[in-house]
């Protein structure tokens, strides 16, 4: 088993968790725009509460995205500093997988189309199957993560439940499924407890990276910023 | 005290280690300029993404250059404002959490205090009190410095910063970002007798404020006239670059001299990206000699954004027991005058 610290600041929620040999401890707060104030004190507090220091950890995990760019970088930056300073490996975890796990925990349903509002009329989307056998989770990626306009998506051949803020487009997304989804959990946000659960699976498979590679997965990478060659006589 | 300094407020990742006993031990700068040049200016999102990739590898390089282990660091200083919030956040999150992991104090440093104190990294240093001209792409300020944290703003730009004016003028004649060095290079081919002359804004009225917006418009008008008359050739551009550079430099020199006279001081330091301008340095030296005053500046790589100035400025406060809490306070805007004075222990 292992002891893993997990952070998530990918949405308006700010959360930290400890996974101590499968027992998960979490501090979850809705804190729009306060992540930078809260995140390190929350890390300090949860370690203190568990009677641990960074030297007792085996790895540090974070919600690597998709999500708010600034939010993702807050976790990535904090994790880089913590992991580099204490010589620990890092486990980047998908926020969409974390949402799917939360959907599973709430309903027992396995297949989830997790979606986060990406603004500009787009959503971040990914499909996951969650199962639990003998107390051990298993996660399978069913639909590759992407950023897309909901109306531009093609139909899905299998059935899913819906989770995440991206289901504000529930009408459009439901119409792409064979049947209307049994569960649509729009209010759930990625949370560190789920990141910590998934991190343990990655850790057991040896899926860790160095502190250098604690980098967000933005999904929206194509350059939307207009290139401007200087033009003579123009401001 | 060995202080690691991180600067990530704009488009430069600067990392350094300053030792209060042995001076600067190592420093590295990674510049994103080439990446932003394609866009005609800094794209904040791209800058932030790059800082998150480059900061940690640079910290490792700097530790190696200094021949140090990270456990030998005594404190960490990072720029916490003013600047681009996303960019500042990269250095602040990494710097503060690294200090937490190492169990050492950390301090958020004011970017302009870093620039202001950068000349103190050189052998020839001024003694306080002195006047500082902070002149960059984001600032044009005259400040009276009586001690660390004892700053009085004497005047500042009411619109564009001098560096911003250079960038915009450069763009108008098809030169790439950042404009200052390109204008200066082109100005070398300019003819001082071309007859082109731009205003020296706000020099004919009392006070120490600046304004570069009108000068920019005058420049654009001249470019348009040349275009209309089909004489906007390379020589015209060089002449215009020279006339523009001279106008900015003259304006800065007049106000610096005035500030020294008004405050009765004999020492000026210049800092910030534009302080690397050769004409500005030459003009200040010759003009200030006339009033028996002298000018101090940092080596060129410490005029633009760098980690050494942040490590140095941070060290001055950290050795006096100042430090920042775990909550990361980032300030996009942060008047220099709000900094606390350094209490001598």
């Amino acid at each position: 088993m292992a002891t893993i610290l997990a952070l998530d600041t990918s949405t308006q929620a700010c959360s930290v968790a400890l996974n101590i040999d499968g027992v998960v401890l979490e501090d979850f707060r809705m804190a729009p725009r306060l992540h930078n104030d809260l995140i390190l004190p929350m890390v300090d507090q949860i370690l203190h509460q568990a009677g641990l220091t960074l030297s007792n950890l085996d790895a540090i995990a974070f919600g690597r995205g998709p999500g708010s760019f600034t939010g993702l970088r807050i976790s990535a930056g904090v994790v880089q500093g913590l992991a580099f300073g204490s010589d620990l490996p890092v486990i980047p975890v998908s926020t969409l997988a974390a949402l799917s796990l939360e959907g599973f925990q709430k309903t027992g349903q396995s297949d989830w189309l997790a979606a986060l509002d990406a603004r500009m009329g787009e959503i971040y989307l990914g499909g996951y199957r969650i199962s639990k056998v003998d107390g051990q989770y298993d996660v399978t990626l069913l639909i590759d993560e992407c950023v897309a306009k909901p109306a531009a998506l093609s139909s899905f051949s299998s059935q899913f439940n819906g989770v995440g803020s991206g289901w504000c487009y529930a009408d459009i997304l439901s119409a792409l499924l064979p049947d209307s989804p049994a569960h649509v959990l729009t209010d759930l946000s990625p949370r560190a407890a789920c990141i910590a659960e998934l991190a343990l699976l990655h850790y057991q498979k040896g899926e860790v990276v160095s502190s250098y590679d604690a980098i967000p997965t933005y999904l929206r990478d194509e350059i939307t910023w207009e290139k401007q060659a200087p033009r003579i006589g123009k401001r | 005290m060995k202080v690691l300094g991180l600067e990530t407020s704009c488009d430069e990742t600067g990392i350094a280690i300053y030792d209060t006993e042995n001076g600067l031990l190592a420093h590295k700068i990674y510049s994103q300029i080439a990446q932003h040049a394609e866009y005609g200016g800094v794209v904040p999102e791209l800058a932030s993404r790059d800082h998150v990739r480059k900061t940690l590898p640079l910290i490792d390089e700097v530790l190696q250059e200094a021949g140090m282990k990270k456990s030998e660091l005594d404190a960490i200083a990072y720029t916490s404002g003013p600047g681009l919030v996303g960019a500042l956040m990269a250095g602040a999150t990494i710097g503060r959490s690294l200090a937490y992991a190492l169990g050492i104090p950390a301090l958020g440093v004011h970017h302009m205090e870093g620039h202001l104190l950068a000349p103190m990294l050189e052998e020839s240093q001024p003694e306080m009190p002195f006047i500082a001209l902070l002149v960059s792409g984001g600032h044009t300020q005259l400040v009276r410095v009586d001690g660390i944290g004892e700053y009085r703003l004497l005047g500042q730009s009411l619109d564009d910063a001098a560096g911003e004016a250079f960038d915009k003028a450069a763009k108008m004649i098809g030169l790439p970002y950042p404009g200052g060095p390109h204008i200066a290079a082109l100005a070398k081919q300019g003819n001082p007798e071309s007859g082109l002359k731009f205003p020296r804004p706000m020099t004919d009225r009392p006070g120490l404020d600046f304004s570069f917006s009108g000068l920019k418009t005058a420049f654009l008008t001249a470019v348009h006239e040349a275009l209309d008359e089909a004489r906007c050739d390379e020589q015209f551009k060089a002449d215009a670059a020279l006339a523009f550079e001279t106008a900015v430099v003259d304006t800065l020199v007049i106000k610096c001299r005035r500030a020294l006279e008004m405050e009765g001081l004999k020492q000026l330091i210049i800092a910030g990206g534009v302080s690397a301008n050769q004409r500005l340095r030459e003009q200040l030296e010759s003009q200030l000699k006339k009033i028996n005053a002298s000018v101090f500046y940092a080596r060129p790589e410490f005029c633009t954004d760098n980690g050494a100035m942040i490590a140095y400025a941070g060290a001055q406060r950290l050795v006096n027991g100042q430090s920042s809490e775990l909550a990361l306070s980032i300030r996009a805007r942060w008047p220099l005058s709000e900094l606390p004075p350094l209490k001598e222990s």
Side-chain angles (χ1 to χ4, degrees), chain B residues 247-267:
Chain B
V248 175
V249 166
D250 282 359
T251 306
L252 293 171
V253 171
I254 290 166
K255 297 282 169 144
C256 284
R257 181 173 170 169
R258 192 180 290 174
L260 287 166
E261 287 171 342
M262 281 169 69
E263 295 296 317
L265 296 178
K266 292 289 180 197
Q267 299 173 102

Side-chain angles (χ1 to χ4, degrees), chain B residues 189-344:
Chain B
Q189 321 297 324
N191 174 9
E193 311 297 331
S194 72
L196 257 180
K197 190 168 171 152
F198 295 118
R200 273 72 175 147
M202 300 185 69
T203 51
D204 55 354
R205 64 182 98 162
L208 296 169
D209 285 334
F210 303 89
S211 163
F212 293 105
S213 177
L215 174 58
K216 188 182 67 187
T217 306
F219 185 82
L220 185 65
T221 307
V223 173
H224 278 165
E225 280 173 12
L227 281 171
D228 289 346
E229 294 163 20
R231 52 175 177 80
C232 189
D233 54 11
E234 289 312 304
Q235 189 56 51
F236 168 80
K237 287 183 205 166
D239 294 346
L242 176 61
F244 185 84
E245 185 188 36
T246 311
V248 175
V249 166
D250 282 359
T251 306
L252 293 171
V253 171
I254 290 166
K255 297 282 169 144
C256 284
R257 181 173 170 169
R258 192 180 290 174
L260 287 166
E261 287 171 342
M262 281 169 69
E263 295 296 317
L265 296 178
K266 292 289 180 197
Q267 299 173 102
L268 174 82
I269 70 136
I270 56 171
V274 180
S275 72
N277 183 285
Q278 205 53 44
R279 186 177 306 274
L280 177 63
R281 293 184 170 199
E282 287 164 11
Q283 285 295 312
L284 278 172
E285 296 214 355
S286 68
Q287 291 298 316
L288 296 194
K289 204 174 271 175
K290 294 179 187 168
I291 56 164
N292 258 328
S294 44
V295 57
F296 298 82
Y297 33 70
R299 72 196 85 165
E301 75 245 50
F302 293 164
C303 288
T304 45
D305 294 351
N306 65 87
M309 67 182 195
I310 300 303
Y312 178 84
Q316 306 313 308
R317 293 180 175 278
L318 283 155
V319 290
N320 271 260
Q322 287 186 28
S323 66
S324 297
E325 301 169 343
L326 286 178
L328 298 165
S329 160
I330 300 293
R331 295 183 65 177
R333 292 176 181 279
W334 187 4
L336 204 48
S337 55
E338 285 181 19
L339 278 172
L342 188 67
K343 293 195 180 63
E344 294 293 337

Side-chain angles (χ1 to χ4, degrees), chain B residues 18-99:
Chain B
Y18 178 82
D19 181 350
T20 48
E21 277 160 34
N22 298 304
L24 191 64
L25 301 183
H27 86 96
K28 295 260 177 197
I29 298 171
Y30 170 78
S31 174
Q32 309 173 356
I33 282 177
Q35 204 182 332
H36 296 288
E38 295 182 85
Y39 299 95
V42 178
V43 181
E45 176 59 23
L46 290 183
S48 308
R49 288 187 181 195
D50 227 26
H51 287 307
V52 170
R53 291 197 163 277
K54 295 297 183 332
T55 303
L56 216 46
L58 272 186
I59 291 174
D60 231 0
E61 281 183 38
V62 162
L63 283 166
Q64 278 176 32
E65 190 179 299
M68 281 174 64
K69 295 187 198 117
K70 56 184 179 261
S71 57
E72 293 173 280
L73 292 170
D74 297 306
I76 298 179
Y78 53 88
T79 308
S80 57
L84 302 170
V85 173
L88 289 164
M89 201 72 88
T93 50
I94 295 170
R96 189 66 195 85
S97 60
L98 178 56

